[in-house]
Amino acid sequence: MRSAPGNLLLCMLLVLAALMAGFLAVQPASAETILYRNFTLIDGRGGPAVPNAAMLVADGRILWAGPMAGAPEVAVSVDLGGKWVIPGLIDTHIHIGNLHDLTQDEKFYSPENVEADLRTYGSFGITTVAIMGTDKDSIFQIRALQRAGRPMMTRIYTAGQGIVFRGGYGGVPGINRPVATAKEAAAEVDAQAAKGADYIKLWLDDELGTMPKMPPEISKAVIDAAHRNGLKVYAHIFYLADAKRLVAEGIDGFVHSVRDLPVDQELIDMMKARGVVQVAATLSREAAMFAYGSPAPWLSDPFFMQSLSPTALTLLASAERQRTVAGNPTFPRYPAFFDMAMANMKRLAAAGIRYGLGTDSGPPGRVAGYSVHWEMELMVRDGFTTAETIRAATLYGAEVLGAKDIGVLERARWANFVVLDADPLKDIRNTRAIRAVYVGGTQVPSVKR
């Protein structure tokens, strides 16, 4: 028989689970079957768009998609009025829950703040995100509740707490537990694996020579421990030499572009031989490092403004903050880092390296939701076609995450999709013309037109 304190604890846990289930708005499966019709389908695989298309959805999953002439007859249908439909977008590198206005601090991390961020991502058409190493343990309960049913908000993947070298660069103080030895590093990886991390994240950087860098014996221990636990390892890197070192040690992917030097054939050959992926190039992150040193033209764009609180918008637009940003001693170097990131992303893609689309949004000035659309615009500026860019933000993102049930609008996948008022294949900025967003077949609140 349980003791009275034990019964009290059990009751408290059951109440918490019920509250969390309500807060996440996980809806039970229904038997309703809906045919969405009269739209142009861009399915995410990169092939030709299908005009006058239809898609059959039941219990949140796609049963059929194709030309409307071949659609099955059902009792309930929704006419999408000749709009364009793309898969829900996937951001393969974000941070979440730690921001209030433009201040980042672990004290802000809460299920409520995570939920608010996820709703922001969802409103911009981002229906899946990969969080890169700055989560508290409550993220695992949120994820478990999402995966237990049909969530009505953006789906999450998480690394839990990423691995940071003691005294070095990375993480959020109070969340990440820095390691000083290979033994400590392996134990921290084991801890994240035991919690259920989807992958492991490490930071390998010296912040332009101002901080100690994670030694090889520690990064190798992280990679070996992750692989022993059946998990992939993704790394924050800056330098070409560090990218080569990590590939040799067995890394699975990079969550930023190399930014100090052009990637060379040696790195390309190493990555191809070992199947290393460019999880994210974070081009918008590199641009954001200097964009707010002067009045950014999009600060008054209603689409952008829906990403941030009024206080954050006021701060970004203030002359005082712009002087502070521009006064950073490293500020003059940021545009060159951005240009190198752009060039290296294009070189890797042209060489056949698989890539996703990620923004590193979440920290101050790297704006949730909006940044994905900016990233897509930058990819097109970098020489990618609109179809390639959409595929990076859908199918390729799903493949990077090992998710077989998202990323493409086809049979058996979740009905995560975005309805657009204009054709994104003609102009990638038309991904901003959002009419509606669906997560698991349920319409969620989207940005206002």
Side-chain angles (χ1 to χ4, degrees), residues 114-181:
V114 169
E115 179 196 31
D117 286 347
L118 291 175
R119 292 195 186 282
T120 296
Y121 279 102
S123 71
F124 281 82
I126 297 98
T127 59
T128 304
V129 293
I131 316 170
M132 285 295 164
T134 50
D135 282 325
K136 290 187 176 180
D137 286 351
S138 57
I139 199 69
F140 294 106
Q141 174 69 2
I142 296 171
R143 188 195 61 186
L145 289 167
Q146 283 191 345
R147 295 183 183 180
R150 285 170 55 190
M152 294 174 64
M153 67 175 63
T154 294
R155 179 178 182 173
I156 54 177
Y157 288 78
T158 179
Q161 294 96 46
I163 314 301
V164 181
F165 180 53
R166 188 171 299 169
Y169 176 84
V172 172
I175 291 181
N176 299 83
R177 293 178 292 274
V179 300
T181 66

Side-chain angles (χ1 to χ4, degrees), residues 4-173:
N7 285 327
L8 178 60
L9 177 59
L10 177 61
C11 290
M12 290 175 65
L13 289 173
L14 290 172
V15 169
L16 176 61
L19 288 172
M20 288 289 287
F23 135 74
L24 282 170
V26 177
Q27 71 174 36
S30 73
E32 186 175 51
T33 299
I34 300 175
L35 181 72
Y36 296 91
R37 57 186 176 82
N38 188 20
F39 61 87
T40 296
L41 173 65
I42 300 169
D43 67 6
R45 289 202 174 274
V50 180
N52 201 23
M55 182 166 61
L56 187 65
V57 176
D59 298 336
R61 291 188 182 268
I62 299 168
L63 294 183
W64 176 90
M68 196 157 65
E73 293 186 9
V74 296
V76 180
S77 68
V78 175
D79 189 329
L80 295 182
K83 307 297 186 184
W84 286 260
V85 169
I86 62 173
L89 302 172
I90 301 170
D91 191 331
T92 54
H93 183 166
I94 73 155
H95 302 276
I96 202 169
N98 290 298
L99 198 66
H100 178 70
D101 295 329
L102 292 185
T103 302
Q104 180 174 270
D105 194 297
E106 62 85 18
K107 69 183 180 183
F108 299 128
Y109 195 101
S110 67
E112 293 78 13
N113 207 10
V114 169
E115 179 196 31
D117 286 347
L118 291 175
R119 292 195 186 282
T120 296
Y121 279 102
S123 71
F124 281 82
I126 297 98
T127 59
T128 304
V129 293
I131 316 170
M132 285 295 164
T134 50
D135 282 325
K136 290 187 176 180
D137 286 351
S138 57
I139 199 69
F140 294 106
Q141 174 69 2
I142 296 171
R143 188 195 61 186
L145 289 167
Q146 283 191 345
R147 295 183 183 180
R150 285 170 55 190
M152 294 174 64
M153 67 175 63
T154 294
R155 179 178 182 173
I156 54 177
Y157 288 78
T158 179
Q161 294 96 46
I163 314 301
V164 181
F165 180 53
R166 188 171 299 169
Y169 176 84
V172 172

